[in-house]
Amino acid sequence: MNKKLWFFVLFMLLILYFDLPKANAAEEYSGYSEIIMQDGKLLENYTDAEYEEYYKEITNKRFWGWNVYIVNKNVPCTYINKTVYETTNTGSETITYEVNVTTEQEIRTIISATGSISYGLSGSSEKKFKHDLDAKVSLDYKYQNTKSNTKTEKLKIPVEGKTKLLVTIIGTAMVTNGVGCYYMFWLENSKGGFEYFTITNEFQKIEKVAYD
C-alpha cells in the first residue's frame, strides 16, 4: 500500500472514530403521565419486529448521507404532563382556594433517538440531530423555546367537602418518527430510530374529583 493510500485510509478511520455516536439520554416527554396519538405510536413503543420491518425500507446503501423511512409524520397528539397543584378538602364545608393558572402557546421541539443515532448541541445549546437529519426528513423545526400569548390568572376556586382539587399541565403536540441509517463511504455509521415531539400548546387544567 503506497503512502498516499495509507494516509487516506488513516484519515477516513479517524473521521469515523471521532464521529462515533454518543449515548442517547432520556428525553423529558418520555416522563409525561400520558401521551395519546391520533394514529401510530411513539418511538419508545416500537417493537423489535416493527424495527426489523421498517429497516427493510432503508436497505439501499449510500456513498454518503442519510437513508430514512418515516413511519409517522406530523401526527397530532394530546398529552398530560404532570400535576402542579393538589389539595383536598377533607371537611364537610366548602373552602375557597386561590390558585395561579397559566395558559400559553408554546412552540418547541424535543427530540429522541434509539440505536446509534445521536444528537449534539447546536449553537443555541439545544439538542439537535447530527449530520443534518432534519433536512433529510424535510421538516423545519424550532429547537429554541418560543412562547407567546402567556397569560396567568389568580382564580378563586370553591372546593366542596370531601373533594380533591387538581391542577394539571396538559397540551397538544405533533409527532414525527421513523428509522434511518447514515452512511460514510457506503459504510454504516449510525442506525436506529428518530423522533420529533413538537409542542404546540400547553395549559393547565382545573379538575375537582370526589375524595374517598
Side-chain angles (χ1 to χ4, degrees):
M1 184 182 294
N2 61 48
K3 287 186 177 181
K4 287 185 178 180
L5 182 58
W6 168 252
F7 282 120
F8 176 76
V9 172
L10 180 61
F11 177 69
M12 289 301 103
L13 289 175
L14 287 173
I15 289 178
L16 290 172
Y17 174 78
F18 286 109
D19 198 52
L20 288 175
K22 310 299 186 294
N24 295 317
E27 294 305 327
E28 60 183 87
Y29 67 93
S30 65
Y32 286 0
S33 300
E34 186 177 25
I35 299 176
I36 302 175
M37 295 176 61
Q38 287 189 7
D39 190 27
K41 61 174 64 176
L42 293 173
L43 189 65
E44 64 181 12
N45 297 323
Y46 282 12
T47 65
D48 291 341
E50 286 172 329
Y51 269 112
E52 291 305 314
E53 177 186 349
Y54 300 149
Y55 283 148
K56 292 176 183 178
E57 303 293 334
I58 56 171
T59 54
N60 294 329
K61 292 186 177 182
R62 300 172 60 90
F63 172 70
W64 197 290
W66 284 105
N67 191 1
V68 302
Y69 176 65
I70 299 175
V71 180
N72 300 289
K73 186 170 184 177
N74 286 333
V75 177
C77 75
T78 58
Y79 64 87
I80 300 174
N81 186 339
K82 61 183 178 180
T83 299
V84 293
Y85 182 84
E86 178 179 345
T87 189
T88 303
N89 181 358
T90 59
S92 57
E93 301 294 327
T94 298
I95 299 176
T96 299
Y97 296 90
E98 285 192 351
V99 180
N100 289 324
V101 177
T102 301
T103 302
E104 64 186 13
Q105 182 181 24
E106 179 181 28
I107 306 294
R108 66 188 179 103
T109 298
I110 311 169
I111 61 175
S112 182
T114 60
S116 55
I117 290 182
S118 62
Y119 39 75
L121 296 178
S122 67
S124 59
S125 297
E126 295 290 333
K127 289 179 180 176
K128 188 172 183 179
F129 283 119
K130 298 180 71 175
H131 306 307
D132 202 16
L133 177 60
D134 301 352
K136 184 62 179 179
V137 178
S138 299
L139 293 171
D140 182 23
Y141 291 101
K142 295 180 180 179
Y143 289 94
Q144 289 182 306
N145 292 358
T146 304
K147 299 182 180 181
S148 61
N149 301 324
T150 300
K151 183 179 181 181
T152 300
E153 296 180 280
K154 180 171 286 188
L155 302 180
K156 292 184 178 181
I157 304 173
V159 180
E160 297 75 15
K162 305 299 181 182
T163 301
K164 180 183 293 186
L165 173 65
L166 299 170
V167 180
T168 306
I169 298 176
I170 65 175
T172 59
M174 305 289 282
V175 175
T176 294
N177 58 32
V179 297
C181 184
Y182 188 76
Y183 294 95
M184 301 179 79
F185 297 99
W186 293 290
L187 298 177
E188 185 180 294
N189 176 261
S190 55
K191 180 180 178 181
F194 60 86
E195 184 165 79
Y196 299 81
F197 189 89
T198 301
I199 296 172
T200 53
N201 284 285
E202 190 167 89
F203 50 94
Q204 294 178 351
K205 176 184 178 182
I206 300 172
E207 183 179 16
K208 291 190 286 187
V209 297
Y211 170 71
D212 296 328

